[in-house]
Amino acid sequence: MQNGAIFAFAGSGLDRAAELRVAPERLALLWQAPETRVLPIWRGRPLFAGDVLGWLAPDHPVLEGAPQESVFLGLEEGAARFALDLSHWRPEEPAATPISLFDAGEQPHPLLDAPMVFAEMRNRMAMMSAREAELAAMARALGEWHRSHGHCARCGAATLPSHGGWKRHCPACNAEHFPRTDPVVIMLITEGNSALLGRGPGWPEGVYSCLAGFVEPGETIEAAVRREVAEETGVPVGPVRYLASQPWPFPASLMLGCHGKATARALTLDPVEIEDACWVTREDMADIFAGVHPHIRAPRQGAIAAGLLRMWLADHI
């Protein structure tokens, strides 16, 4: 919880036990411990058992034949937690790839009984506990990093995982590669009794959110907020302050929630980035969260945008 708002994937106080990453012998022993559990990830979708994560024992047949090594996530009450990418598995009847923010994207496995399925995490993030959400976010982000960084950015040679999955080493040029996190500003922009919302091209009907964008090299958070808002909507922003953050493992971002005060309301949209934008009053925002607004859907529960808007609606900003 940050400033009274609950964000999915935010830190739960997990013991990441980073000192064990450099101790492969100890990790090998932990892998064999009876209390150890493994979270399988298939093409970015964690395994779920209903509304909770689907943890498996390390010797479960589903985990056999994985081409990648496991990733050590940490300790939960002394028990080791690992993740393993199973994206090599090809189901006979694959589920459709999600094409919108609200698609289910569920895939069963023949060796797992219902209700276990690989599922799109964004659709279940509000149901998970803070601890499970943090573990799932780590597992997904690291799995995607390993899948996309199998070769050295310096010389092109194949790299090898090490440090419990938290580093890749190039045996050809001795370069070391570490998981990256991309900073993204997401901003509640207000002017008087109104907040600025926008929607990207191709978003599902009725979905609007706070504006957001990546922080560029050599740029401060405040400057990124002003630049992104001006580029996408033409709205000039004055004072900016940081409010809260949220890990966002799609694929590996850190959302930096900010509040900015607009100095004008006129909109000039960038059609490449923004399909539509509008100013929404507090009264309209109350209808949006109540699900009775005629045009705008309630924001996704657990996302930082929803938290920022709820804080503003409650006059906590």
Side-chain angles (χ1 to χ4, degrees), residues 18-19 32 49 93 95 97 121 123 126 173 182 248 260 269 306 316-317:
E19 70 279 1
Q32 300 172 19
E93 297 182 4
T97 301
M121 191 162 58
N123 294 328
C173 70
D182 299 316
W248 193 247
L269 304 186
H316 290 163
I317 295 178

Side-chain angles (χ1 to χ4, degrees), residues 100-124:
S100 82
L101 299 177
F102 293 90
D103 283 337
E106 296 184 352
Q107 175 64 57
H109 192 288
L111 297 180
L112 296 170
D113 295 329
M116 281 195 168
V117 291
F118 294 102
E120 169 56 43
M121 191 162 58
R122 274 174 284 210
N123 294 328
R124 303 193 180 208

Side-chain angles (χ1 to χ4, degrees), residues 77-220:
E77 297 181 356
R81 296 290 180 260
F82 291 86
L84 191 63
D85 194 311
L86 301 184
S87 297
H88 68 291
W89 171 60
R90 295 181 179 274
E92 293 183 3
E93 297 182 4
T97 301
I99 58 175
S100 82
L101 299 177
F102 293 90
D103 283 337
E106 296 184 352
Q107 175 64 57
H109 192 288
L111 297 180
L112 296 170
D113 295 329
M116 281 195 168
V117 291
F118 294 102
E120 169 56 43
M121 191 162 58
R122 274 174 284 210
N123 294 328
R124 303 193 180 208
M125 63 185 185
M127 307 174 189
M128 290 187 284
S129 67
R131 175 59 49 79
E132 287 211 324
E134 182 178 358
L135 287 163
M138 294 167 61
R140 188 189 193 282
L142 286 166
E144 292 297 298
W145 176 69
H146 280 290
R147 284 209 294 152
S148 61
H149 289 74
H151 289 81
C152 179
R154 178 185 293 175
C155 72
T159 57
L160 300 173
S162 65
H163 285 59
W166 288 84
K167 186 173 81 170
R168 295 191 71 90
H169 173 256
C170 177
C173 70
N174 211 35
E176 295 181 337
H177 304 278
F178 296 89
R180 61 178 294 170
T181 297
D182 299 316
V184 177
V185 287
I186 181 166
M187 38 277 183
L188 171 69
I189 303 300
T190 62
E191 200 283 321
N193 190 47
S194 299
L196 180 61
L197 298 182
R199 56 179 278 112
W203 285 16
E205 184 178 356
V207 175
Y208 284 73
S209 186
C210 296
L211 302 182
F214 289 97
V215 180
E216 295 184 345
E219 188 174 44
T220 66

Side-chain angles (χ1 to χ4, degrees), residues 63-81:
L63 306 179
E64 294 179 1
Q68 292 283 357
E69 294 184 15
S70 63
V71 173
F72 175 63
L73 303 177
L75 300 175
E76 187 174 23
E77 297 181 356
R81 296 290 180 260

